[in-house]
Amino acid sequence: MLYIKGGYIIDPKSGLEGLRDILIKDDRIACISQTGSTLAELLNQNGLEAYAEHMDEIDRIDAQGMIVSPGLVDVHVHFRDPGFTYKEDIESGTKAAAGGGFTSVVLMANTRPAVDNIETLRYVLEKGKKTGIRVYSCANVTKGMKGEEPVDMEALSNAGAAGFTDDGIPILDEVLLRDALRQAAKLGKPVSLHEENPEYITNNGINAGKAAQYYGIGGSPREAEISMVERDIKIAVEEEADLSIQHISTKEAVELVRQAKRHSCHIFAEATPHHFALTEDAAIKHGTLAKMNPPLREESDRLAIIEGLKDGTIDMIATDHAPHSAEEKEKPITEAPSGIIGLETALSLGIRELVQPGHLTMMELIDKMSLAPAKLYKLDAGYLAENAPADLIIFDKDAGWKVENFASKSANSPFIGEAMPGVIKYTICGGKIIYEA
């Protein structure tokens, strides 16, 4: 049993906000109570009198001055397992997640072998069960992520796939995508798409603008994203299939999503912390550590993403946690792989870039980092209530820290050395403390 006393509760599902005590029994929340009652009184009020004789055995956390919220949910992470475990594996990835306040993660399927078969999906899910957090996984849309042949979506769904994606590679075959969206809709599973048309791209990971000019390369133009988003929204609306636009990066794509949401409930979008925090200037300053797909773009795009988060056009924040080795990132700008890690800095960036400037309230930030992504993937997560899963975090929004060391195997981050607000004190999943500062 765990007793959390005097924390400032934020629950986006009920709208509850204020000082409360929380009593956890086993893996569920047994009680959420106004502060003021003693532990003995809470036990008696909730039919737990038998524990009153053993109160000295109950773990206690003094959460005064701290925020208690649902555990964060990230529906876009890469743990590189199987196939690329020198970058990250499920064990190290979940440690990074717990340190960042995440109690649920949805893994992408671009592993080796790809998650286009039941055997690999089961490997990932079984390995995830041995960690301290809740690990889910998408399966691929196409076999081998080649965009040519669809997977057996029904079989993979029955085996536990949370959704479907070929993240990292866009699906260019319009007929195949339409059929996949139709099948996913029947199964009640979302499809998440990486929206970059390679026909437009000379060098991926760097915006075809000031940054590309700096490096003397062609880069990746905004049209690569815009064209795919426009096409795929149209198909998803027609098929009434839940579609999530991954890591949105352009103001035009944000507007396309905004317009689509006015007449369809099936269109969703995610933004990464790096896309609402940085511009292509970071790619000039940090080089390959700020190279990612889609690339960091202009200030007007960054502001449009923030506006999309404010008005609900962008439903959720997802990290696109993408570990790479130091050796890989030390390659020239056109050869180094795209992607940065993000699990351990996401909440702090949300506080620094969205809450402190007044763009979002803390309640709105927590919603976009917990309840909203959980809803899309139909996960029992992202909220605090009696008898709900005891997945929560306790953090000090005002305390500061410096980005230096990572639980992740990789350290490919443009934020190294920066001061950040918001310190995770405890991450609790299934009633167990899985991270303590």
Side-chain angles (χ1 to χ4, degrees):
M1 190 170 286
L2 179 61
Y3 176 47
I4 302 170
K5 182 172 180 60
Y8 189 85
I9 303 296
I10 291 179
D11 175 50
K13 186 174 183 179
S14 66
L16 174 64
E17 188 170 0
L19 295 175
R20 296 292 189 278
D21 297 337
I22 296 179
L23 191 61
I24 293 172
K25 182 178 181 296
D26 301 324
D27 62 347
R28 316 297 287 187
I29 296 174
C31 170
I32 299 177
S33 174
Q34 293 276 359
T35 57
S37 298
T38 65
L39 176 55
E41 289 170 339
L42 285 181
L43 293 171
N44 289 327
Q45 292 165 6
N46 290 276
L48 300 170
E49 299 90 343
Y51 292 88
E53 298 177 4
H54 307 281
M55 285 196 298
D56 56 331
E57 299 176 10
I58 296 176
D59 293 325
R60 308 180 192 207
I61 295 175
D62 182 357
Q64 293 184 68
M66 290 182 275
I67 291 174
V68 181
S69 81
L72 306 181
V73 178
D74 192 344
V75 295
H76 190 158
V77 302
H78 300 267
F79 283 173
R80 308 302 193 196
D81 193 352
F84 306 97
T85 52
Y86 65 93
K87 303 173 190 255
E88 193 83 282
D89 57 37
I90 290 172
E91 290 88 349
S92 63
T94 53
K95 288 178 181 177
F102 292 90
T103 54
S104 298
V105 294
V106 177
L107 307 187
M108 296 295 98
N110 57 341
T111 52
R112 184 179 295 167
V115 190
D116 60 2
N117 62 88
I118 292 174
E119 182 181 4
T120 304
L121 176 62
R122 284 177 176 165
Y123 162 83
V124 170
L125 295 179
E126 287 303 314
K127 201 168 181 182
K129 289 177 183 177
K130 298 175 184 177
T131 70
I133 71 170
R134 304 183 194 275
V135 176
Y136 306 89
S137 181
C138 283
N140 294 118
V141 176
T142 67
K143 292 183 178 180
M145 298 179 63
K146 295 180 180 179
E148 299 171 353
E149 185 179 357
V151 299
D152 187 339
M153 281 188 164
E154 184 174 5
L156 287 161
S157 178
N158 291 337
F164 297 93
T165 182
D166 275 5
D167 178 48
I169 300 177
I171 298 172
L172 301 179
D173 187 325
E174 183 174 336
V175 174
L176 187 155
L177 177 62
R178 185 179 292 276
D179 289 342
L181 285 166
R182 185 179 298 131
Q183 177 71 359
K186 291 178 181 178
L187 296 169
K189 296 293 174 73
V191 173
S192 299
L193 295 181
H194 185 119
E195 303 286 41
E196 285 188 294
N197 190 333
E199 293 182 4
Y200 290 87
I201 300 172
T202 305
N203 311 99
N204 67 6
I206 298 296
N207 186 49
K210 181 168 57 175
Q213 292 170 8
Y214 174 84
Y215 288 108
I217 60 177
S220 175
R222 62 202 310 108
E223 289 77 15
E225 176 175 275
I226 299 164
S227 61
M228 295 293 288
V229 170
E230 186 172 29
R231 184 201 73 171
D232 294 347
I233 283 178
K234 180 177 182 295
I235 298 172
V237 169
E238 291 172 353
E239 297 300 333
E240 298 184 344
D242 286 347
L243 170 67
S244 179
I245 305 299
Q246 296 181 303
H247 40 45
I248 200 163
S249 74
T250 62
K251 59 187 177 184
E252 293 88 350
V254 173
E255 186 58 29
L256 286 168
V257 172
R258 181 178 287 114
Q259 295 300 324
K261 278 177 170 284
R262 290 176 178 169
H263 59 270
S264 173
C265 63
H266 295 286
I267 305 303
F268 303 85
E270 61 178 48
T272 69
H274 44 274
H275 282 111
F276 65 65
L278 302 172
T279 68
E280 62 182 334
D281 289 335
I284 296 172
K285 180 179 180 180
H286 299 287
T288 62
L289 288 181
K291 177 186 178 182
M292 71 276 297
N293 300 338
L296 300 171
R297 300 201 188 271
E298 300 174 13
E299 176 67 2
S300 61
D301 297 301
R302 188 185 76 86
L303 294 176
I305 290 168
I306 291 174
E307 188 60 35
L309 287 164
K310 289 171 64 176
D311 68 14
T313 296
I314 301 174
D315 306 86
M316 69 204 91
I317 293 168
T319 67
D320 190 15
H321 178 80
H324 294 294
S325 69
E327 293 76 14
E328 290 170 322
K329 280 294 190 177
E330 287 169 357
K331 293 180 179 181
I333 195 74
T334 56
E335 299 176 23
S338 294
I340 69 170
I341 59 172
L343 286 165
E344 297 171 74
T345 53
L347 178 61
S348 291
L349 286 168
I351 294 171
R352 189 180 80 178
E353 302 295 331
L354 301 175
V355 175
Q356 288 184 345
H359 299 305
L360 296 182
T361 64
M362 186 64 74
M363 177 76 79
E364 290 169 333
L365 176 65
I366 295 300
D367 177 47
K368 291 183 183 296
M369 296 187 73
S370 62
L371 185 62
K375 281 182 176 179
L376 175 62
Y377 279 85
K378 300 178 176 64
L379 308 179
D380 188 17
Y383 68 104
L384 300 177
E386 292 181 357
N387 202 39
D391 299 351
L392 49 93
I393 57 172
I394 302 171
F395 65 97
D396 185 339
K397 68 178 178 63
D398 298 316
W401 63 287
K402 186 178 181 181
V403 182
E404 292 178 309
N405 302 309
F406 298 100
S408 171
K409 282 187 178 182
S410 297
N412 51 310
S413 169
F415 300 109
I416 292 173
E418 292 193 18
M420 294 280 182
V423 173
I424 305 289
K425 297 293 188 179
Y426 296 90
T427 302
I428 299 164
C429 187
K432 296 178 181 179
I433 298 172
I434 59 169
Y435 172 82
E436 182 176 352

